[in-house]
Amino acid sequence: MYRGWLDGVTGTVIVGHDGLLIANTMTQETDAESLGVWALGVYMGTSHVIEKLGDDHVRQIVSQTNQGYLIIANFDAGLLITLTNPIRLDSLLPLMRTITQLVAA
């Protein structure tokens, strides 16, 4: 992975399901390790709720902020966390498709 692999992406983090940082392309101003742990907490909480609703697997979580989007995608070895700058919805959907393809490979 390298920074700027897709338009709008400001950085990525890969974190294991155990919370350990595997890789990241974040700037030095971003605490990638903490971001990975926080995203894992969001993922685990959401997974718990989804299980209570009768589904067994969360694939992606998308959060919109004033600074852009946080996308958390699950794959067998952990989570791919992607941060974007503010992008239009018509740019977000292709990005989400690309992330889905990456984590499904």
Side-chain angles (χ1 to χ4, degrees):
M1 284 187 321
Y2 60 94
R3 201 166 174 276
W5 58 281
L6 270 173
D7 287 339
V9 173
T10 58
T12 58
V13 171
I14 297 176
V15 63
H17 289 290
D18 56 4
L20 293 178
L21 183 67
I22 297 171
N24 85 84
T25 65
M26 293 294 169
T27 63
Q28 289 190 356
E29 296 83 35
T30 303
D31 182 356
E33 192 167 346
S34 293
L35 177 62
V37 171
W38 297 327
L40 180 59
V42 168
Y43 176 80
M44 291 172 60
T46 303
S47 290
H48 182 72
V49 170
I50 295 301
E51 286 173 15
K52 295 292 183 190
L53 294 173
D55 202 340
D56 63 346
H57 188 69
V58 174
R59 288 155 189 80
Q60 283 188 1
I61 300 168
V62 180
S63 297
Q64 182 182 13
T65 73
N66 290 334
Q67 296 178 3
Y69 288 91
L70 167 71
I71 304 168
I72 303 169
N74 182 39
F75 66 103
D76 289 337
L79 301 177
L80 170 63
I81 299 114
T82 306
L83 291 179
T84 75
N85 55 26
I87 56 176
R88 296 187 341 225
L89 189 58
D90 61 345
S91 297
L92 178 64
L93 297 177
L95 173 60
M96 289 175 60
R97 277 189 221 103
T98 300
I99 291 170
T100 298
Q101 292 169 348
L102 286 172
V103 298

